[in-house]
Amino acid sequence: KNGQATVIGDRLFTSSMSGAVYALNAKTGCVYWRYAGEAATRSSVTIAAMPKGSAAKHALFLSDWTKSAVALDADTGKRLWKTVVDDQPGMQMTGAPVYWEGKLFVPISSGNEAFAQSPSWVCCKFRGALVALDAVTGKILWKRYTTEQEPKPFKVNSAGKQLWGPSGGAIWVAPTVDAKRRLIYVGTSNSYTDVPYDNADSVLAIDVDSGDIRWAKQLTADDNYIDGCKGGKRHANCPDPVGPDWSIGSAVIQQPLPGGGDILLVGQKSGMVWGLDPANGGAVKWQQRLSAGSELGGVEFGTASDGRHV
Protein backbone atom coordinates (compact mmCIF):
# COMPACT_ATOMS: atom_id res chain seq x y z
CA LYS A 1 0.00 0.00 0.00
CA ASN A 2 1.23 3.53 -0.81
CA GLY A 3 -1.67 5.99 -0.51
CA GLN A 4 -3.32 7.21 2.67
CA ALA A 5 -6.57 5.59 3.78
CA THR A 6 -9.81 7.61 3.49
CA VAL A 7 -12.31 7.55 6.36
CA ILE A 8 -16.00 8.49 5.94
CA GLY A 9 -18.15 7.90 9.03
CA ASP A 10 -17.56 4.34 10.20
CA ARG A 11 -16.03 3.21 6.89
CA LEU A 12 -12.38 3.14 5.97
CA PHE A 13 -11.48 2.93 2.27
CA THR A 14 -8.02 1.87 1.15
CA SER A 15 -6.23 0.81 -2.02
CA SER A 16 -3.24 -1.48 -2.57
CA MET A 17 -0.40 -2.24 -4.96
CA SER A 18 -2.08 -5.59 -5.63
CA GLY A 19 -4.90 -3.69 -7.33
CA ALA A 20 -7.45 -4.50 -4.63
CA VAL A 21 -9.58 -1.75 -3.08
CA TYR A 22 -11.29 -2.34 0.27
CA ALA A 23 -14.16 -0.83 2.25
CA LEU A 24 -13.61 -1.75 5.92
CA ASN A 25 -15.32 -1.01 9.19
CA ALA A 26 -13.10 1.69 10.69
CA LYS A 27 -13.41 0.25 14.23
CA THR A 28 -13.28 -3.50 13.67
CA GLY A 29 -11.58 -3.94 10.28
CA CYS A 30 -14.43 -6.14 9.02
CA VAL A 31 -14.74 -6.07 5.23
CA TYR A 32 -17.85 -4.51 3.64
CA TRP A 33 -16.56 -5.15 0.11
CA ARG A 34 -13.43 -5.80 -1.94
CA TYR A 35 -12.89 -4.63 -5.51
CA ALA A 36 -10.34 -6.64 -7.52
CA GLY A 37 -8.67 -4.14 -9.84
CA GLU A 38 -6.62 -5.05 -12.91
CA ALA A 39 -3.42 -3.29 -11.80
CA ALA A 40 -1.65 -1.57 -8.92
CA THR A 41 -3.21 1.47 -7.32
CA ARG A 42 -0.56 3.71 -5.77
CA SER A 43 -2.68 6.76 -4.92
CA SER A 44 -5.23 7.43 -2.21
CA VAL A 45 -8.89 7.08 -3.10
CA THR A 46 -11.39 9.96 -3.19
CA ILE A 47 -15.02 9.71 -2.03
CA ALA A 48 -17.73 12.13 -3.22
CA ALA A 49 -21.50 12.57 -3.13
CA MET A 50 -22.65 12.24 -6.72
CA PRO A 51 -24.85 14.63 -8.74
CA LYS A 52 -28.18 13.66 -10.22
CA GLY A 53 -27.96 11.15 -13.08
CA SER A 54 -25.36 8.97 -11.42
CA ALA A 55 -25.98 5.28 -10.78
CA ALA A 56 -24.58 5.67 -7.24
CA LYS A 57 -25.31 7.98 -4.34
CA HIS A 58 -21.63 8.16 -3.42
CA ALA A 59 -18.67 7.22 -5.60
CA LEU A 60 -15.10 6.19 -4.88
CA PHE A 61 -12.51 7.40 -7.41
CA LEU A 62 -8.99 6.12 -8.00
CA SER A 63 -6.36 5.81 -10.69
CA ASP A 64 -4.46 2.61 -11.51
CA TRP A 65 -1.53 1.45 -13.59
CA THR A 66 -3.65 0.46 -16.55
CA LYS A 67 -3.34 4.24 -17.19
CA SER A 68 -6.97 4.61 -16.16
CA ALA A 69 -9.28 6.50 -13.84
CA VAL A 70 -11.88 4.29 -12.14
CA ALA A 71 -15.19 5.05 -10.38
CA LEU A 72 -16.79 2.58 -7.94
CA ASP A 73 -20.08 2.67 -6.06
CA ALA A 74 -18.84 3.52 -2.56
CA ASP A 75 -21.67 1.51 -0.94
CA THR A 76 -21.22 -1.72 -2.89
CA GLY A 77 -17.83 -1.62 -4.65
CA LYS A 78 -19.47 -2.12 -8.06
CA ARG A 79 -17.56 -0.48 -10.89
CA LEU A 80 -19.39 2.47 -12.45
CA TRP A 81 -16.89 3.25 -15.20
CA LYS A 82 -13.24 2.98 -16.19
CA THR A 83 -11.49 5.41 -18.58
CA VAL A 84 -7.96 5.27 -20.03
CA VAL A 85 -6.80 8.87 -19.53
CA ASP A 86 -3.49 8.77 -21.43
CA ASP A 87 -1.13 6.29 -23.09
CA GLN A 88 2.35 7.80 -22.95
CA PRO A 89 5.43 5.57 -22.57
CA GLY A 90 6.57 5.21 -18.96
CA MET A 91 3.39 6.78 -17.59
CA GLN A 92 2.47 6.12 -13.95
CA MET A 93 -0.31 7.34 -11.64
CA THR A 94 0.72 8.47 -8.16
CA GLY A 95 -1.33 11.51 -7.11
CA ALA A 96 -4.88 11.09 -5.81
CA PRO A 97 -7.69 12.26 -8.12
CA VAL A 98 -9.74 15.23 -6.90
CA TYR A 99 -13.52 15.70 -7.28
CA TRP A 100 -15.19 19.11 -7.58
CA GLU A 101 -18.51 20.26 -9.10
CA GLY A 102 -19.16 17.07 -11.04
CA LYS A 103 -15.63 16.86 -12.45
CA LEU A 104 -12.79 14.50 -11.57
CA PHE A 105 -9.24 15.85 -11.94
CA VAL A 106 -6.57 13.18 -12.45
CA PRO A 107 -2.80 13.94 -12.33
CA ILE A 108 -0.39 12.02 -14.57
CA SER A 109 3.14 11.10 -13.51
CA SER A 110 5.96 9.00 -14.93
CA GLY A 111 8.73 6.48 -14.26
CA ASN A 112 10.91 7.73 -17.12
CA GLU A 113 13.69 8.95 -14.80
CA ALA A 114 14.33 5.34 -13.77
CA PHE A 115 13.54 3.59 -17.06
CA ALA A 116 15.90 5.86 -19.01
CA GLN A 117 18.92 4.38 -17.22
CA SER A 118 18.63 1.64 -19.85
CA PRO A 119 20.26 2.73 -23.15
CA SER A 120 17.53 0.86 -25.03
CA TRP A 121 14.77 3.05 -23.52
CA VAL A 122 13.55 5.67 -25.99
CA CYS A 123 14.29 8.78 -23.96
CA CYS A 124 12.09 10.63 -23.56
CA LYS A 125 8.61 11.26 -24.93
CA PHE A 126 6.61 11.76 -21.73
CA ARG A 127 4.92 15.02 -20.68
CA GLY A 128 3.09 15.47 -17.39
CA ALA A 129 -0.62 16.26 -17.63
CA LEU A 130 -3.83 16.95 -15.75
CA VAL A 131 -7.01 15.33 -17.10
CA ALA A 132 -10.58 16.43 -16.28
CA LEU A 133 -13.38 13.86 -16.60
CA ASP A 134 -17.13 13.93 -16.16
CA ALA A 135 -17.52 12.21 -12.78
CA VAL A 136 -20.85 10.57 -13.74
CA THR A 137 -19.87 9.12 -17.13
CA GLY A 138 -16.06 9.02 -17.11
CA LYS A 139 -15.92 11.04 -20.36
CA ILE A 140 -12.71 13.08 -20.80
CA LEU A 141 -13.60 16.79 -20.82
CA TRP A 142 -10.11 18.20 -21.33
CA LYS A 143 -6.42 17.32 -20.97
CA ARG A 144 -3.73 19.86 -20.21
CA TYR A 145 -0.10 18.88 -20.73
CA THR A 146 2.36 20.78 -18.54
CA THR A 147 4.06 22.06 -21.68
CA GLU A 148 2.51 22.77 -25.06
CA GLN A 149 5.69 21.67 -26.86
CA GLU A 150 5.47 18.12 -28.18
CA PRO A 151 8.67 16.03 -27.83
CA LYS A 152 10.74 15.93 -31.02
CA PRO A 153 14.06 14.25 -31.98
CA PHE A 154 16.98 16.52 -31.09
CA LYS A 155 20.17 14.40 -31.01
CA VAL A 156 21.55 10.84 -30.94
CA ASN A 157 22.99 9.50 -27.68
CA SER A 158 26.34 7.70 -27.24
CA ALA A 159 24.62 4.34 -27.80
CA GLY A 160 23.32 5.52 -31.17
CA LYS A 161 19.73 5.91 -29.98
CA GLN A 162 17.54 8.89 -30.79
CA LEU A 163 16.90 11.34 -27.93
CA TRP A 164 13.62 13.28 -27.70
CA GLY A 165 12.60 16.44 -25.89
CA PRO A 166 11.26 18.36 -24.16
CA SER A 167 10.14 15.78 -21.64
CA GLY A 168 9.21 15.73 -17.95
CA GLY A 169 6.95 17.96 -15.89
CA ALA A 170 5.20 15.01 -14.19
CA ILE A 171 2.50 15.76 -11.59
CA TRP A 172 3.22 13.53 -8.60
CA VAL A 173 0.53 14.53 -6.15
CA ALA A 174 -3.10 15.62 -5.82
CA PRO A 175 -4.14 18.93 -7.40
CA THR A 176 -5.68 21.74 -5.31
CA VAL A 177 -8.98 23.45 -6.25
CA ASP A 178 -9.37 27.22 -5.78
CA ALA A 179 -13.18 27.54 -5.71
CA LYS A 180 -13.14 31.35 -5.60
CA ARG A 181 -11.03 31.77 -8.74
CA ARG A 182 -12.20 28.53 -10.43
CA LEU A 183 -8.59 27.42 -10.78
CA ILE A 184 -6.80 24.20 -9.98
CA TYR A 185 -3.16 24.30 -8.84
CA VAL A 186 -0.55 21.63 -9.59
CA GLY A 187 3.15 21.36 -8.89
CA THR A 188 5.36 19.76 -11.54
CA SER A 189 8.55 17.70 -11.58
CA ASN A 190 11.89 18.24 -13.30
CA SER A 191 12.79 17.94 -16.98
CA TYR A 192 14.38 14.72 -18.31
CA THR A 193 16.43 15.89 -21.31
CA ASP A 194 18.61 18.79 -22.47
CA VAL A 195 15.71 20.48 -24.29
CA PRO A 196 14.31 23.18 -21.95
CA TYR A 197 10.92 22.29 -20.43
CA ASP A 198 9.19 25.61 -19.83
CA ASN A 199 6.96 24.48 -16.95
CA ALA A 200 9.24 22.01 -15.14
CA ASP A 201 9.59 22.55 -11.35
CA SER A 202 6.66 24.95 -11.56
CA VAL A 203 3.31 25.74 -10.00
CA LEU A 204 0.57 25.96 -12.65
CA ALA A 205 -2.84 27.60 -12.24
CA ILE A 206 -5.26 25.82 -14.60
CA ASP A 207 -8.82 26.91 -15.43
CA VAL A 208 -11.17 24.19 -14.12
CA ASP A 209 -13.66 24.69 -16.96
CA SER A 210 -11.42 25.01 -20.02
CA GLY A 211 -8.11 23.47 -18.96
CA ASP A 212 -6.24 26.63 -20.03
CA ILE A 213 -3.13 27.61 -18.04
CA ARG A 214 -3.86 31.02 -16.45
CA TRP A 215 -0.39 31.48 -14.98
CA ALA A 216 2.79 29.51 -14.31
CA LYS A 217 5.53 30.15 -11.74
CA GLN A 218 8.78 28.27 -12.29
CA LEU A 219 10.78 27.75 -9.09
CA THR A 220 13.87 26.09 -10.64
CA ALA A 221 14.95 26.41 -14.28
CA ASP A 222 17.09 23.98 -16.34
CA ASP A 223 16.61 21.09 -13.92
CA ASN A 224 17.33 18.25 -16.37
CA TYR A 225 17.69 14.97 -14.49
CA ILE A 226 17.63 11.18 -14.95
CA ASP A 227 18.55 8.56 -12.33
CA GLY A 228 22.11 7.24 -12.34
CA CYS A 229 23.80 10.35 -13.73
CA LYS A 230 25.53 11.73 -10.62
CA GLY A 231 28.60 10.85 -8.56
CA GLY A 232 30.82 10.31 -11.56
CA LYS A 233 28.37 7.91 -13.18
CA ARG A 234 27.03 8.46 -16.66
CA HIS A 235 24.95 6.43 -19.09
CA ALA A 236 23.82 7.05 -22.65
CA ASN A 237 20.68 9.02 -21.76
CA CYS A 238 22.17 11.37 -19.16
CA PRO A 239 21.47 15.07 -19.79
CA ASP A 240 24.42 17.47 -19.80
CA PRO A 241 24.64 19.20 -17.41
CA VAL A 242 22.69 17.11 -14.89
CA GLY A 243 20.23 19.11 -12.81
CA PRO A 244 19.66 18.84 -9.03
CA ASP A 245 16.27 17.02 -9.36
CA TRP A 246 14.25 19.56 -7.38
CA SER A 247 10.72 18.53 -8.27
CA ILE A 248 7.65 19.83 -6.46
CA GLY A 249 6.76 16.62 -4.67
CA SER A 250 3.98 17.74 -2.31
CA ALA A 251 0.50 19.12 -2.96
CA VAL A 252 0.00 22.89 -3.07
CA ILE A 253 -1.81 24.26 0.01
CA GLN A 254 -4.15 27.23 -0.42
CA GLN A 255 -4.31 29.02 2.94
CA PRO A 256 -6.54 32.01 3.86
CA LEU A 257 -4.63 34.79 5.63
CA PRO A 258 -5.85 36.47 8.86
CA GLY A 259 -5.84 39.94 7.32
CA GLY A 260 -7.67 38.84 4.16
CA GLY A 261 -6.53 37.31 0.93
CA ASP A 262 -4.76 33.98 0.69
CA ILE A 263 -1.43 32.36 -0.01
CA LEU A 264 -0.17 29.21 -1.73
CA LEU A 265 2.26 27.12 0.33
CA VAL A 266 4.59 24.95 -1.73
CA GLY A 267 7.27 22.48 -0.60
CA GLN A 268 10.08 21.52 -2.99
CA LYS A 269 12.80 18.85 -3.06
CA SER A 270 15.31 21.70 -2.98
CA GLY A 271 14.52 21.94 0.75
CA MET A 272 12.71 25.22 0.12
CA VAL A 273 9.18 26.13 1.21
CA TRP A 274 7.58 28.91 -0.82
CA GLY A 275 4.73 31.31 -0.15
CA LEU A 276 3.20 32.35 -3.49
CA ASP A 277 0.53 34.97 -4.23
CA PRO A 278 -2.38 33.43 -6.21
CA ALA A 279 -3.82 36.88 -6.90
CA ASN A 280 -0.60 38.03 -8.59
CA GLY A 281 0.41 35.24 -10.96
CA GLY A 282 2.17 33.21 -8.28
CA ALA A 283 4.58 35.99 -7.29
CA VAL A 284 6.89 35.00 -4.42
CA LYS A 285 5.77 36.51 -1.10
CA TRP A 286 8.40 34.66 0.94
CA GLN A 287 10.70 31.64 0.86
CA GLN A 288 12.37 29.61 3.59
CA ARG A 289 15.09 26.98 3.22
CA LEU A 290 14.78 23.95 5.51
CA SER A 291 17.62 21.81 4.13
CA ALA A 292 20.13 21.56 1.30
CA GLY A 293 17.80 19.26 -0.64
CA SER A 294 18.75 16.32 -2.86
CA GLU A 295 17.32 13.78 -5.32
CA LEU A 296 15.57 11.97 -2.46
CA GLY A 297 15.58 14.75 0.12
CA GLY A 298 14.08 18.15 0.73
CA VAL A 299 10.30 18.33 1.00
CA GLU A 300 8.42 15.35 -0.44
CA PHE A 301 4.94 13.84 -0.13
CA GLY A 302 3.24 15.86 2.53
CA THR A 303 2.96 19.35 3.97
CA ALA A 304 0.18 20.70 6.18
CA SER A 305 -1.09 24.00 7.59
CA ASP A 306 -3.14 24.80 10.71
CA GLY A 307 -3.88 28.35 9.53
CA ARG A 308 -0.94 29.90 11.40
CA HIS A 309 1.92 27.56 10.60
CA VAL A 310 3.02 25.39 7.68
Side-chain angles (χ1 to χ4, degrees), residues 52-307:
K52 291 181 180 180
S54 173
K57 185 177 180 181
H58 296 86
L60 178 150
F61 300 103
L62 64 138
S63 59
D64 69 21
W65 286 12
T66 64
K67 304 181 180 181
S68 301
V70 180
L72 308 178
D73 186 319
D75 293 319
T76 66
K78 179 182 177 181
R79 192 165 80 188
L80 302 172
W81 52 258
K82 180 176 181 178
T83 301
V84 175
V85 295
D86 202 272
D87 194 27
Q88 299 185 77
M91 174 183 155
Q92 293 182 353
M93 316 281 273
T94 55
V98 168
Y99 173 90
W100 189 64
E101 284 196 346
K103 295 185 180 71
L104 188 71
F105 301 95
V106 181
I108 293 178
S109 185
S110 156
N112 275 252
E113 286 173 316
F115 305 150
Q117 293 181 83
S118 169
S120 62
W121 179 262
V122 179
C123 180
C124 288
K125 294 183 178 183
F126 172 86
R127 292 179 291 164
L130 184 68
V131 183
L133 300 94
D134 184 300
V136 174
T137 66
K139 177 184 177 181
I140 293 177
L141 302 175
W142 52 257
K143 182 186 300 183
R144 175 55 54 196
Y145 291 107
T146 52
T147 181
E148 291 300 300
Q149 300 180 64
E150 295 186 17
K152 297 179 180 178
F154 71 97
K155 70 177 182 180
V156 175
N157 69 14
S158 60
K161 300 293 185 179
Q162 183 67 60
L163 284 171
W164 295 67
S167 180
I171 303 173
W172 290 12
V173 292
T176 301
V177 174
D178 182 338
K180 179 174 66 175
R181 298 181 179 90
R182 298 192 68 80
L183 296 174
I184 190 160
Y185 304 118
V186 296
T188 69
S189 81
N190 54 283
S191 169
Y192 302 150
T193 68
D194 299 342
V195 180
Y197 197 104
D198 49 9
N199 289 330
D201 293 357
S202 297
V203 176
L204 308 182
I206 301 173
D207 188 294
V208 297
D209 299 304
S210 67
D212 295 336
I213 296 177
R214 296 303 182 197
W215 56 258
K217 179 64 178 179
Q218 189 170 57
L219 302 182
T220 303
D222 301 322
D223 184 12
N224 309 320
Y225 176 87
I226 286 174
D227 291 349
C229 295
K230 285 193 171 183
K233 301 176 182 178
R234 287 197 65 82
H235 53 74
N237 290 324
C238 287
D240 187 18
V242 180
D245 187 25
W246 284 351
S247 303
I248 298 173
S250 59
V252 175
I253 298 172
Q254 183 183 12
Q255 178 64 60
L257 295 173
D262 52 358
I263 193 169
L264 302 181
L265 305 170
V266 183
Q268 189 180 6
K269 286 174 64 181
S270 61
M272 194 76 76
V273 177
W274 303 81
L276 306 182
D277 186 354
N280 190 26
V284 177
K285 295 175 72 72
W286 57 259
Q287 60 192 78
Q288 180 66 49
R289 181 170 294 283
L290 306 182
S291 74
S294 71
E295 297 104 307
L296 293 175
V299 182
E300 289 188 79
F301 293 121
T303 53
S305 173
D306 64 2

